[in-house]
Amino acid sequence: MTGAANTNLTHLQRLEAESIHIMREVVAEAEKPVMLYSVGKDSAVMLHLARKAFYPSPPPFPLLHVDTTWKFKAMYELRDRMARESGMELLVYHNPEAAERGINPFDHGGLHTDMWKTEGLKQALDKYGFDAAFGGARRDEEKSRAKERIFSFRSANHRWDPKNQRPELWNLYNARKAKGESIRVFPISNWTELDIWQYIHLENIPIVPLYFAAKRPVVQRDGLTIMVDDERFRLRPGEVPEMKSVRFRTLGCYPLTGAVESEATTLPQVIQEMLLTTTSERQGRAIDHDQAASMEKKKQEGYF
Amino acid sequence: MSVSTTKESSYQTDALIAADIDAYLVQHQHKSLLRFITCGSVDDGKSTLIGRLLYDSKMIFEDQLAALEADSKRAGTQGQNIDFALLVDGLAAEREQGITIDVAYRFFATEKRKFIVADTPGHEQYTRNMVTGASTADLAVILIDARKGVLTQTRRHSYLAHLIGIKNIVLAVNKMDLIGYDQAKYDAIVADYTKFAQSIGIKEFTPMPISGFMGDNITTKSENTPWYDGVPLIAHLEAVELDVTADQAKPFRMPVQWVNRPNLDFRGFSGLIASGAVRPGDAVRVLPSGKTSTITRIVTIGGDLDQAVAGQSVTLCFADEVDCSRGDVISIADAPPEVADQFEAVIVWMADEALIPGRPYWLKLGTQTVTATVQAPKYQVNVNTMEHMAAKTLELNAIGVTNLATDRPIPFEPYEANRTLGGFILIDKITNATVAAGMLHFALRRSQNVHWQALDISRETHASLKNQKPAVLWFTGLSGAGKSTIANLVEKKLVRMNRHTFLLDGDNVRHGLNKDLGFTEADRIENIRRVGEVAKLMTDAGLIVITAFISPFRAERQMVREMMAGGEFIEIHIDTPLAEAEARDVKGLYKKARSGALKNFTGIDSPYEPPQTPEIRIDTTKLTPEQAVDIIIERLIP
């Protein structure tokens, strides 16, 4: 992508230029920006773009991981490595109340996501006083996200009001806000799942190995294939982990993230499977299964 | 489902993906990107068309399809058939109302291109949404229901698409299946539209007979329209020239977003190239300063480039240490854009609160943010009939042509020549809301002919001769709050202290300088603006200026504050509760206002916006006028 300039810009070159433009606008206009880093493939692309946007300077903001303590081990490993390599400060936040009450995905269902992620994110933003936070959400992921602005305003208590969003014309972003208000900025809004994979492939961006198929211990539960990633996993009576060749299309808390059976061990094979598959990406996440408008509700409450 | 779907009509080559994924990836990698907008209402089959495009490109997965089938049975309008419209409706509130009320972006790809579709609502109350969606589009698909022909909304959508500068317009005559693929009816609609298009300056458009529901002329030429000699919609979308390609042929311009300075040895200027191309060795000019230099490097993380073009985000280095910062425009040296501070522009108003002529707004154009004031519109355009109408202001969704002035000269180009250097937004200084979008037509000649005369005797000289520091004591508060009383006492005390002062009183100014002004919101703003300008001249002459005006609006007090030199504006809120001021009613005005004999009276039927952080706040229920004077003098002369 960075070789000799090509007068016929490809869609990936256009998307890259747009994302870089957005990040630079935020850095120029916000007082204290931060990049939310979830260690998934979208975060990987976002971080890569940030390094390009500000080169030869390191990206002039820290990475923030709002952790639930229930991510896959491999995610923690990559997270720490990428922070080292990018020269950026890594902030890891745990909601102290969730830790104290021992909130976990086995006993607390939706509360787990709500307290660790939604509440944890709000607390972290307040604690550090960040007024702009980059997130890796894409418009193609889900219906309510198709209408999300690139600069999304949140009230002082982090709520999103779908009826009161600023119009975004051309590539002019209005980043002005009152004290206490903040912006969530989505620089890869216009990328699709295929674009993300293709870009990772072309640019050799490091991603968590869980995206590739390997023999892993899994159990079948509530229609999802769940990986037994550590000893905290509570097996139900009769459940015995089996070794299966699986991979993940999306990564979150390991007890809530469904794997797919797969033999794809290279990026082209993963992309091939994705293109020939017949279910959408977020189906592997337990969080979206409630009702049609669930994501929209979660967003109004402050979930990314 | 009865919607016609065939394997052949999908544009993704499953065979290639399965047989040779590497070849497919190479093909996908080289696709270009076209952004387009669909205009029409749900009745025209807009959502059905978009749903069809997504469905045929396999952007709908089985789980979404299952959810869609369930939704269609619950809320759909198509009986037992799949209702594609439900697929593209996003927010819960909209789903209930059955109309889209925002801009949604959808994605699909064919073998040649990737597409981003802006899906916007069609009703007149959503004009701003359509303008927003159109602002980034290369092409507009104007949908017409073949049974209804060219309607008012067709004209409105076409006008807006043309206004925002979309050069590729597709007239999609939809629902051809419902008129039996009748060529004569189609031809009549096209003829009708041609007449209208010419009347508003649309030079060319591409008509096509389609059915989003049945799939006619979408991906393949339909057997139902053998008389149609054009290409199907997808083939057209794959072939039209992209704006970004056209922009590369224009002179080089790049608004500077951010100065990249990791250490003392490196200074680069980052931005997205708006037009043209740049190479190391090119002579460039920085606007508005006009300083020149030469490009030495185009820096990227993967190594320096030997050329960069419109549409790329880059970092440029200069041969010389010329001043260049965010908001400046780097241009090719021998063809720079104009620099001006007064313009004619067309404005689309996007806020519930109407335009207030004379009020300062933030104007953002490229990466520059400046203060701008907009004059009352020359005319407003009726978006349904394209007639020009007289207007004093612009309400939500209104479009008007007006003059505007910025507080300093900015590099620009007419919108027609360059979207980046001609398109702007206006931002309310208090609420921070984006209240309007605008497109510059041209600079007014006045700004090139009126020059600022540099004077030999400076304001510092005037002030030092009087042995004082100039200031504006700006009293604000309700009528009857005690502004004039306290202001008068303050002046008397200052004069006793040998200070040179002048008191501008609200009532007195309205007998002379401002006797042409009434009490409407716009006139009140002009009243304050003039007083501000007079006060500024007096501070230039070295005086301590005392003003006593209700000055009810925060934005105007802020405007005056910004006119003055730093620290010279002292805002004094004479804080008297309304009940107290009304009880005093020294001039009998509250009584008149309550009886309805006096309109637009502050506190009664016109708002007072109290200062949030005034330099001095005088609570008249706790302090005597004499105590107030002491506090004010102490602040002014410590």
Side-chain angles (χ1 to χ4, degrees):
Chain A
M1 301 270 299
T2 49
N6 179 349
T7 45
N8 286 314
L9 298 181
T10 67
H11 69 292
L12 288 172
Q13 286 174 309
R14 300 270 307 278
L15 290 171
E16 180 188 73
E18 178 186 67
S19 302
I20 289 174
H21 172 80
I22 291 163
M23 290 183 184
R24 288 169 173 171
E25 281 299 288
V26 171
V27 163
E29 298 215 352
E31 281 168 31
K32 198 172 177 191
V34 67
M35 177 167 282
L36 298 179
Y37 182 65
S38 71
V39 211
K41 64 184 193 310
D42 302 310
S43 277
V45 166
M46 193 165 61
L47 173 58
H48 186 79
L49 291 165
R51 294 173 76 178
K52 284 194 166 191
F54 302 101
Y55 177 85
S57 298
F61 41 78
L63 296 171
L64 171 64
H65 183 217
V66 179
D67 188 22
T68 64
T69 73
W70 289 93
K71 303 292 175 190
F72 292 89
K73 282 193 299 270
M75 294 171 72
Y76 294 114
E77 285 162 21
L78 184 77
R79 178 193 73 186
D80 295 342
R81 185 187 130 202
M82 291 315 293
R84 272 196 311 276
E85 285 181 11
S86 64
M88 295 165 76
E89 184 187 2
L90 170 68
L91 305 170
V92 177
Y93 188 83
H94 297 123
N95 177 353
E97 197 194 338
E100 198 184 308
R101 289 173 55 185
I103 301 296
N104 68 75
F106 298 104
D107 298 322
H108 302 101
L111 188 66
H112 169 77
T113 307
D114 184 55
M115 287 201 61
W116 284 109
K117 287 182 79 172
T118 311
E119 285 305 315
L121 174 61
K122 291 184 205 170
Q123 289 172 4
L125 295 178
D126 287 342
K127 176 185 172 188
Y128 294 103
F130 294 122
D131 65 338
F134 293 109
R138 306 188 322 268
R139 283 170 172 160
D140 78 325
E141 279 176 78
E142 203 268 339
K143 272 202 275 187
S144 84
R145 282 190 169 159
K147 306 199 169 188
E148 180 74 272
R149 300 293 195 273
I150 288 173
F151 279 51
S152 177
F153 283 79
R154 305 299 160 110
S155 63
N157 50 13
H158 301 285
R159 284 187 76 93
W160 180 73
D161 176 4
K163 293 211 164 70
N164 192 21
Q165 294 286 305
R166 296 174 180 175
E168 283 177 349
L169 293 111
W170 301 291
N171 55 13
L172 286 176
Y173 303 103
N174 171 3
R176 305 192 83 89
K177 59 202 172 314
K179 220 171 167 47
E181 292 173 349
S182 60
I183 326 173
R184 309 278 168 89
V185 182
F186 304 109
I188 56 169
S189 285
N190 285 328
W191 296 58
T192 63
E193 186 181 7
L194 175 57
D195 298 332
I196 293 288
W197 282 120
Q198 176 114 44
Y199 192 70
I200 289 170
H201 179 50
L202 281 173
E203 301 268 309
N204 259 321
I205 300 171
I207 53 169
V208 184
L210 295 163
Y211 285 115
F212 302 106
K215 292 268 188 218
R216 297 187 171 102
V218 294
V219 294
Q220 296 296 323
R221 187 179 278 191
D222 307 329
L224 296 177
T225 303
I226 304 288
M227 177 175 163
V228 181
D229 193 47
D230 62 33
E231 68 294 341
R232 292 178 297 172
F233 194 89
R234 291 190 212 151
L235 293 169
R236 288 177 189 166
E239 269 182 352
V240 181
E242 296 177 77
M243 293 302 284
K244 278 191 178 164
S245 179
V246 296
R247 66 178 183 86
F248 294 85
R249 297 177 60 192
T250 174
L251 295 175
C253 293
Y254 82 81
L256 296 175
T257 307
V260 290
E261 288 196 42
S262 166
E263 300 296 330
T265 54
T266 66
L267 263 174
Q269 285 168 359
V270 167
I271 297 171
Q272 186 174 36
E273 258 191 21
M274 185 206 89
L275 289 172
L276 298 177
T277 197
T278 52
T279 53
S280 67
E281 183 178 8
R282 297 194 70 88
Q283 220 204 3
R285 286 194 195 174
I287 180 174
D288 290 345
H289 278 247
D290 315 350
Q291 42 176 307
S294 71
M295 179 62 80
E296 192 182 332
K297 269 196 193 139
K298 289 200 162 56
K299 215 160 54 169
Q300 287 184 19
E301 287 157 11
Y303 178 75
F304 235 76
Chain B
M1 64 186 160
S2 72
V3 177
S4 99
T5 50
T6 55
K7 199 73 190 162
E8 295 77 50
S9 69
S10 72
Y11 350 107
Q12 285 204 6
T13 37
D14 283 7
L16 181 61
I17 294 168
D20 189 350
I21 182 67
D22 293 314
Y24 173 80
L25 287 175
V26 169
Q27 180 197 68
H28 182 71
Q29 180 192 334
H30 290 98
K31 288 174 187 172
S32 55
L33 175 65
L34 178 91
R35 301 184 68 139
F36 70 96
I37 181 172
T38 50
C39 315
S41 67
V42 178
D43 299 340
D44 301 322
K46 178 167 59 85
S47 297
T48 305
L49 175 65
I50 296 172
R52 149 86 48 195
L53 294 172
L54 300 184
Y55 183 91
D56 282 353
S57 66
K58 297 195 60 182
M59 296 309 281
I60 301 173
F61 292 102
E62 253 174 29
D63 56 334
Q64 293 173 324
L65 202 58
L68 181 62
E69 277 171 5
D71 276 1
S72 298
K73 289 196 182 105
R74 196 162 48 78
T77 59
Q78 303 291 337
Q80 288 300 302
N81 298 329
I82 288 202
D83 189 349
F84 282 126
L86 291 174
L87 181 75
V88 294
D89 273 352
L91 303 183
E94 294 169 314
R95 221 174 304 164
E96 284 154 21
Q97 292 170 31
I99 48 163
T100 46
I101 53 172
D102 212 312
V103 188
Y105 296 91
R106 319 279 170 197
F107 308 84
F108 69 98
T110 65
E111 284 177 35
K112 295 198 177 106
R113 270 188 179 160
K114 176 183 160 171
F115 298 93
I116 301 179
V117 192
D119 176 15
T120 67
H123 296 90
E124 187 173 348
Q125 66 264 40
Y126 305 121
T127 293
R128 63 174 162 174
N129 308 75
M130 193 194 136
V131 168
T132 301
S135 71
T136 50
D138 299 275
L139 176 145
V141 177
I142 309 265
L143 274 162
I144 284 189
D145 183 332
R147 296 168 301 175
K148 296 178 185 161
V150 176
L151 298 178
T152 299
Q153 63 164 14
T154 314
R155 288 189 277 270
R156 181 171 69 243
H157 298 154
S158 304
Y159 168 72
L160 294 175
H162 181 61
L163 177 79
I164 208 84
I166 296 178
K167 297 198 173 59
N168 296 298
I169 290 178
V170 172
L171 183 74
V173 182
N174 194 22
K175 304 196 181 181
M176 286 300 291
D177 51 317
L178 297 184
I179 59 161
Y181 303 99
D182 184 332
Q183 182 185 5
K185 284 184 182 157
Y186 169 80
D187 286 345
I189 291 171
V190 174
D192 199 12
Y193 186 81
T194 305
K195 250 188 285 170
F196 163 73
Q198 282 169 349
S199 75
I200 63 164
I202 295 176
K203 291 195 187 76
E204 51 183 356
F205 64 92
T206 309
M208 48 184 75
I210 65 162
S211 168
F213 191 65
M214 298 304 292
D216 293 295
N217 290 323
I218 304 294
T219 53
T220 50
K221 277 199 73 164
S222 170
E223 288 167 9
N224 295 318
T225 54
W227 41 267
Y228 172 60
D229 58 6
V231 296
L233 178 61
I234 287 295
H236 183 70
L237 296 177
E238 286 178 333
V240 296
E241 189 190 36
L242 303 171
D243 286 346
V244 71
T245 310
D247 285 341
Q248 289 172 10
K250 299 173 182 173
F252 172 70
R253 278 108 177 71
M254 186 187 92
V256 176
Q257 278 190 286
W258 188 70
V259 179
N260 192 337
R261 188 126 219 213
N263 55 57
L264 291 175
D265 302 326
F266 185 91
R267 189 158 162 266
F269 305 98
S270 300
L272 176 62
I273 299 176
S275 64
V278 65
R279 288 163 208 82
D282 282 357
V284 290
R285 191 179 295 272
V286 177
L287 280 303
S289 74
K291 299 262 168 52
T292 56
S293 188
T294 307
I295 299 291
T296 53
R297 298 175 59 194
I298 305 170
V299 179
T300 77
I301 202 166
D304 286 5
L305 303 183
D306 43 21
Q307 181 188 244
V309 295
Q312 285 184 295
S313 282
V314 293
T315 297
L316 305 176
C317 295
F318 291 167
D320 316 273
E321 282 268 322
V322 294
D323 271 350
C324 184
S325 53
R326 176 171 169 84
D328 290 347
V329 174
I330 302 173
S331 146
I332 193 81
D334 55 11
E338 269 185 87
V339 176
D341 60 2
Q342 296 194 44
F343 309 91
E344 185 189 276
V346 58
I347 285 179
V348 183
W349 200 256
M350 299 191 158
D352 291 324
E353 192 193 342
L355 162 74
I356 297 182
R359 170 173 287 186
Y361 295 96
W362 292 117
L363 177 149
K364 186 170 182 185
L365 182 151
T367 56
Q368 322 169 73
T369 303
V370 296
T371 294
T373 49
V374 182
Q375 290 183 12
K378 296 174 176 177
Y379 58 85
Q380 181 180 335
V381 179
N382 179 321
V383 293
N384 293 319
T385 61
M386 317 313 137
E387 283 168 337
H388 294 183
M389 311 184 298
K392 288 188 169 165
T393 180
L394 295 172
E395 310 265 349
L396 176 64
N397 290 318
I399 297 174
V401 170
T402 175
N403 288 347
L404 64 89
T406 54
D407 65 342
R408 56 195 161 86
I410 55 170
F412 82 100
E413 284 193 286
Y415 182 78
E416 205 177 54
N418 190 316
R419 281 193 191 192
T420 305
L421 290 187
F424 63 88
I425 55 173
L426 294 178
I427 299 167
D428 186 288
K429 287 196 168 189
I430 304 292
T431 66
N432 291 321
T434 301
V435 293
M439 289 150 277
L440 296 178
H441 285 162
F442 47 79
L444 302 176
R445 218 167 269 133
R446 249 174 80 198
S447 55
Q448 284 139 38
N449 297 336
V450 182
H451 294 282
W452 195 256
Q453 187 67 42
L455 304 171
D456 289 335
I457 306 297
S458 68
R459 68 196 310 275
E460 287 73 24
T461 315
H462 286 296
S464 67
L465 202 64
K466 295 184 180 64
N467 197 23
Q468 65 184 26
K469 199 179 159 302
V472 176
L473 300 175
W474 188 276
F475 287 73
T476 173
L478 295 169
S479 174
K483 297 182 299 295
S484 295
T485 307
I486 299 172
N488 197 38
L489 290 173
V490 166
E491 184 171 39
K492 274 160 66 179
K493 185 151 186 184
L494 284 169
V495 167
R496 280 202 300 276
M497 295 165 77
N498 289 321
R499 293 304 198 280
H500 299 260
T501 63
F502 194 85
L503 199 159
L504 285 165
D505 182 79
D507 289 343
N508 298 352
V509 166
R510 281 189 175 274
H511 285 117
L513 177 67
N514 291 350
K515 72 175 176 190
D516 57 327
L517 299 178
F519 288 88
T520 63
E521 202 164 304
D523 278 0
R524 283 168 165 242
I525 290 165
E526 177 60 12
N527 183 43
I528 296 305
R529 189 192 69 80
R530 290 186 198 172
V531 170
E533 291 288 356
V534 170
K536 181 170 186 291
L537 289 173
M538 288 182 168
T539 58
D540 284 349
L543 296 176
I544 294 170
V545 187
I546 301 161
T547 70
F549 294 83
I550 297 173
S551 46
F553 304 123
R554 220 167 269 147
E556 280 62 59
R557 296 193 301 265
Q558 180 64 25
M559 165 178 75
V560 178
R561 180 185 291 274
E562 285 169 14
M563 286 178 194
M564 306 301 163
E568 290 187 5
F569 184 83
I570 298 168
E571 187 174 25
I572 302 168
H573 182 200
I574 304 301
D575 193 358
T576 304
L578 179 63
E580 174 72 21
E582 191 169 354
R584 293 180 199 161
D585 206 5
V586 187
K587 301 172 194 164
L589 295 173
Y590 283 97
K591 206 170 165 191
K592 275 198 203 168
R594 287 289 182 200
S595 73
L598 194 57
K599 292 276 171 217
N600 296 320
F601 194 75
T602 300
I604 307 297
D605 58 347
S606 183
Y608 179 77
E609 300 169 359
Q612 286 165 326
T613 51
E615 275 74 9
I616 301 171
R617 189 176 149 271
I618 301 293
D619 182 345
T620 64
T621 60
K622 297 211 175 81
L623 297 169
T624 64
E626 290 70 25
Q627 289 170 320
V629 170
D630 289 343
I631 291 171
I632 294 164
I633 300 281
E634 172 65 21
R635 173 71 168 72
L636 183 67
I637 306 164

